[in-house]
Amino acid sequence: MAEAERIIGTPDTPDGAGGGKGRPDAEGTPAGEPGTDPAAVAGPSGTGEPEATDGRPRGRRRIAVLFAVAAFAYAIDLISKLIVVAKLEHHPPIEIIGDWLKFEAIRNAGAAFGFGEAFTVIFTMIAAAVIVVIARLARKLYSLPWAIALGLLLGGALGNLTDRIFRAPGVFEGAVVDFIAPKHFAVFNLADSAIVCGGILIVLLSFRGLDPDGTVHKD
């Protein structure tokens, strides 16, 4: 009798009659338990990959955006200055929109838009400090708009700092190459534009109550 029961098998117990509840699945977890919910395994995005609960992957993506924006802003500023020095310096200005907008190569020893020419070294130190602050802030960055804003600031600061270090008259005293000359306005470059756009975006984000870590403050 015992041998027959071993071959045929014993009937399910009453606890297993309701669809096998209580019977372990292939992973050893009872079927029907919340731990085997496919949605829970796949994560909220439904991609089959669990979402991180500590926000680190999302933070790393924001940091990647910051440095990508900074690299783009720095690259176009550097390339534009190389072209201006090679093709436009010591040549007549190029009119883009009549007298309203011209390209004119100018060496600027001051800050953005030609202010403070007597403080070149100080402006160089400020630019270097801005870069360090942004790099430290990136570790707590979880906001995409903040990543873009800081990337613009970082790229612009690096662009002008490169001029300060490598251009005449000397290290940390180099004159920045400016070439965008609107009518009745100071001459500037693409690094200045990136810095201004990043600063405006930061002001708007602050008014909206959005912090770099993604926290939103509502009045």
Side-chain angles (χ1 to χ4, degrees), residues 117-160:
E117 294 187 3
F119 303 98
T120 304
V121 175
I122 295 177
F123 292 133
T124 303
M125 295 175 61
I126 292 174
V130 168
I131 293 170
V132 172
V133 170
I134 293 175
R136 291 177 61 87
L137 185 61
R139 296 181 299 175
K140 300 180 180 180
L141 186 62
Y142 294 95
S143 168
L144 180 59
W146 269 95
I148 296 173
L150 293 178
L152 290 171
L153 283 179
L154 180 59
L158 284 172
N160 284 338

